[in-house]
Amino acid sequence: QVQLVESGGGLVHPGGSLRLSCAASAPPFHYYTIGWFRETPGKGREGLACIGKDGNTVYKDSLKGRFTISRDNTKKLAYLQMDNLTPEDTARYYCAVEGTGYICTDGIYSNLYDYWGQGTQVTVSS
């Protein structure tokens, strides 16, 4: 069973930046698709970004240019760099993995992912 742990969340002022990390406990990490999602009571779950086995990336259109997904297969880590944050970005952020590595094509769909972390809270406030 794959276990994922998110870190890097916290309180940040509008316009600030955070880098979230996702650590995987088990191999084969390099085969996975990695996705980042966020949840709020009002909006539910949103897919933010994914990165496939071959490095292909897909972003939610409204976030492209502010958020950047990356992975380090040697360290078994994935990252979400978030810049120019606004209060609308306040949410609990989750990473997730899918085992084929090939589903990051035209969107970020939560029902395609197999394992999820517990999330890390991001609060953007003055």
Side-chain angles (χ1 to χ4, degrees):
Q1 182 178 354
V2 176
Q3 295 187 14
L4 304 172
V5 179
E6 301 94 337
S7 62
L11 177 65
V12 64
H13 290 174
S17 297
L18 287 172
R19 189 181 73 164
L20 306 182
S21 298
C22 175
S25 65
F29 183 79
H30 63 281
Y31 289 144
Y32 303 152
T33 306
I34 309 296
W36 282 99
F37 301 81
R38 67 186 182 189
E39 289 187 354
T40 64
K43 297 179 181 179
R45 183 173 294 172
E46 297 179 277
L48 307 176
C50 62
I51 184 166
K53 176 184 177 182
D54 60 359
N56 180 67
T57 58
V58 177
Y59 293 91
K60 182 177 175 67
D61 286 343
S62 62
L63 300 176
K64 193 172 184 179
R66 292 200 299 125
F67 288 19
T68 304
I69 189 171
S70 61
R71 66 192 298 165
D72 185 330
N73 291 334
T74 300
K75 297 180 179 179
K76 296 182 172 60
L77 291 173
Y79 305 99
L80 185 69
Q81 177 69 40
M82 306 188 297
D83 298 317
N84 195 25
L85 289 164
T86 77
E88 296 298 320
D89 296 316
T90 296
R92 192 165 185 87
Y93 285 70
Y94 297 85
C95 66
V97 302
E98 181 276 336
T100 73
Y102 293 111
I103 66 164
C104 188
T105 54
D106 61 352
I108 314 105
Y109 305 108
S110 62
N111 61 356
L112 300 180
Y113 290 79
D114 303 305
Y115 300 99
W116 295 76
Q118 295 300 306
T120 185
Q121 181 68 34
V122 172
T123 302
V124 185
S125 176
S126 299

